[in-house]
């Protein structure tokens, strides 16, 4: 039989199939080969009758992995949703870019969701259009949502159909609440937002996929590590900003990192000053570049 591991706890792996969820052990051969099944793996397993439990089995083989993330340690991700709020807490653009770096390194497509759109008021002006313009140039799809509304629930489900999707983002933006709404039941524990420090209580404890239907899965993560992916250095950070590519070739120096150079020598800096590249994204790039320097990355 073939299924997908949706949870691993205490040496047991819970494998989802169209016939239900099977509680499985991994065969000893995996330990001998120093292999470990991951949440998200597609596996071949055999059913083992148990007098006390239904749907038990042994995992025989791990099918080829498409990709894997380190934190959380999961595999076979089709896409990611980065979830932020329009307010409470306000979005951090360098944090969005830091999350994006992890996904770009793994070549995982990403959707950017801004939740709590009902908090926007007339005083917020063209907030939605400004955000869309920033990420349009970065080739990143952006959606503004009220995650617990019936209309937006159907919209989100259509974006997740047939995909294995990992949700990530800062605490307090409504990840668990949104997933509960999509599932139609309270699967994820939710935490309140601290009024004093305006950040959420992170309630996600372990990696677990939830099935929306036979071939659509979601995972609420505790957030990516605060460290940069090991593949990122100050010198190659520029390659992870797709809106730089159209201008980078016109920089005077091949080694241009688009920060200390004169505007006359740097086509990217000129494009920023002319509004062709988002100043918000460029400032985020400079901040992350400096953080990499301070980390001593080479």
């Amino acid at each position: 039989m073939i299924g997908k591991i949706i949870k691993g706890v205490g040496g047991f792996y819970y494998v989802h199939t169209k016939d239900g969820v099977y509680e499985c052990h991994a065969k000893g051969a995996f330990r001998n080969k120093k292999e470990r099944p991951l949440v998200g793996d597609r596996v071949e397993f055999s059913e083992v009758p148990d007098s006390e439990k239904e749907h038990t089995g042994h995992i025989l083989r791990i099918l080829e992995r498409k990709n894997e993330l380190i934190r959380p340690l999961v595999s076979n991700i089709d896409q990611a949703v980065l979830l932020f709020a329009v307010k409470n807490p306000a979005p951090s653009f360098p944090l969005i870019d830091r999350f994006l770096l992890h996904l770009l390194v793994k070549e995982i497509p990403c959707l950017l969701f801004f939740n709590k759109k009902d908090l926007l008021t007339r005083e917020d002006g063209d907030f939605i259009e400004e955000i869309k313009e920033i990420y349009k140039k970065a080739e990143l799809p952006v959606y503004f949502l009220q995650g617990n509304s019936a209309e937006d629930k159907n919209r989100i489900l259509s974006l997740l159909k047939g995909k294995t999707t990992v949700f990530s983002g800062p605490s307090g933006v409504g990840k668990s609440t949104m997933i509960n709404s999509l599932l139609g039941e309270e699967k994820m524990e939710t935490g309140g937002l601290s009024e004093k420090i305006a950040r959420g209580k992170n309630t996600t404890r372990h990696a677990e996929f939830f099935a929306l239907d036979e071939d659509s899965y979601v995972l609420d993560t505790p957030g990516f590590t605060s460290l940069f992916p090991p593949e990122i250095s100050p010198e190659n950070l520029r390659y992870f900003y797709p809106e730089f590519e159209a201008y980078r070739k016109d920089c005077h120096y091949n080694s241009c990192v688009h920060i200390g150079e004169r505007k006359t020598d740097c086509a990217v800096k000129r494009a920023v000053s002319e509004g062709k590249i988002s100043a918000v994204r460029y400032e985020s790039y400079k901040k992350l570049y400096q953080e990499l320097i301070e980390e001593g990355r080479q």
Side-chain angles (χ1 to χ4, degrees):
M1 301 174 69
I2 302 293
K4 185 184 187 75
I5 298 176
I6 58 173
K7 181 171 66 171
V9 177
F12 291 97
Y13 298 92
Y14 295 85
V15 180
H16 180 261
T17 73
K18 63 180 180 180
D19 299 319
V21 176
Y22 288 76
E23 183 182 84
C24 296
H25 281 291
K27 300 286 281 186
F30 292 111
R31 289 191 296 274
N32 298 334
K33 293 187 291 185
K34 296 184 179 181
E35 289 184 354
R36 176 187 173 189
L38 299 180
V39 173
D41 278 345
R42 287 178 49 46
V43 295
E44 179 183 341
F45 70 100
S46 61
E47 186 172 8
V48 177
D50 188 303
S51 59
E52 297 181 0
K53 296 180 181 178
E54 293 185 358
H55 286 184
T56 59
H58 286 310
I59 295 175
L60 306 174
R61 184 167 64 99
I62 301 170
L63 303 186
E64 184 178 358
R65 287 175 184 154
K66 177 179 180 179
N67 53 41
E68 66 181 72
L69 292 176
I70 297 174
R71 184 182 175 193
L73 190 55
V74 295
S75 66
N76 297 324
I77 305 301
D78 293 316
Q79 65 181 7
V81 166
L82 289 186
L83 184 62
F84 284 74
V86 299
K87 287 183 178 181
N88 298 342
S92 163
F93 297 104
L95 185 57
I96 292 173
D97 286 359
R98 185 187 285 272
F99 283 175
L100 281 172
L101 290 177
H102 286 267
L103 300 169
L104 288 168
V105 164
K106 297 293 184 180
E107 299 183 346
I108 296 174
C110 181
L111 309 175
L112 180 55
F113 285 6
F114 285 94
N115 198 21
K116 307 183 184 180
K117 69 178 181 181
D118 61 317
L119 298 182
L120 291 175
T121 64
R122 187 174 300 174
E123 286 71 29
D124 294 309
D126 297 325
F127 178 87
I128 290 179
E129 293 307 315
E130 290 169 2
I131 296 295
K132 285 183 177 179
E133 188 62 25
I134 290 171
Y135 291 103
K136 177 182 178 182
K137 294 171 182 175
E139 303 174 3
L140 182 64
V142 180
Y143 302 88
F144 288 83
L145 305 158
Q146 185 59 33
N148 55 4
S149 73
E151 178 183 354
D152 283 344
K153 175 181 176 179
N154 291 331
R155 185 182 181 197
I156 296 167
L157 285 171
S158 69
L159 294 170
L160 308 184
K161 180 69 176 174
K163 305 280 188 180
T164 294
T165 304
V166 59
F167 275 67
S168 198
S171 297
V173 298
K175 294 192 301 295
S176 297
T177 299
M178 181 177 286
I179 290 176
N180 281 336
S181 175
L182 296 174
L183 294 169
E185 55 184 314
E186 293 293 319
K187 289 282 190 179
M188 304 301 301
E189 181 187 353
T190 58
L193 188 71
S194 166
E195 294 181 1
K196 289 185 178 180
I197 57 176
R199 62 183 177 85
K201 303 169 185 176
N202 200 320
T203 56
T204 306
R205 294 290 180 263
H206 61 266
E208 179 176 357
F209 281 109
F210 294 97
L212 297 172
D213 56 38
E214 187 177 324
D215 61 353
S216 306
Y217 301 86
V218 292
L219 168 70
D220 181 16
T221 80
F224 297 128
T225 175
S226 60
L227 300 176
F228 288 97
E231 297 87 347
I232 303 292
S233 68
E235 288 69 29
N236 69 13
L237 178 64
R238 54 190 158 152
Y239 302 121
F240 293 91
Y241 281 73
E243 61 267 54
F244 289 5
E245 287 303 300
Y247 307 98
R248 189 172 55 80
K249 64 181 182 298
D250 295 324
C251 290
H252 185 72
Y253 302 105
N254 289 335
S255 59
C256 183
V257 295
H258 322 310
I259 291 179
E261 299 83 3
R262 295 179 302 175
K263 194 184 300 182
T264 53
D265 292 330
C266 178
V268 169
K269 292 178 77 171
R270 289 199 302 273
V272 173
S273 66
E274 294 167 2
K276 297 174 182 177
I277 292 176
S278 163
V280 170
R281 281 271 287 175
Y282 178 68
E283 290 301 317
S284 170
Y285 165 75
K286 288 201 301 181
K287 183 177 187 299
L288 295 179
Y289 179 90
Q290 186 58 39
E291 288 182 22
L292 286 167
I293 293 289
E294 292 171 359
E295 276 192 14
R297 292 285 184 104
Q298 299 295 327

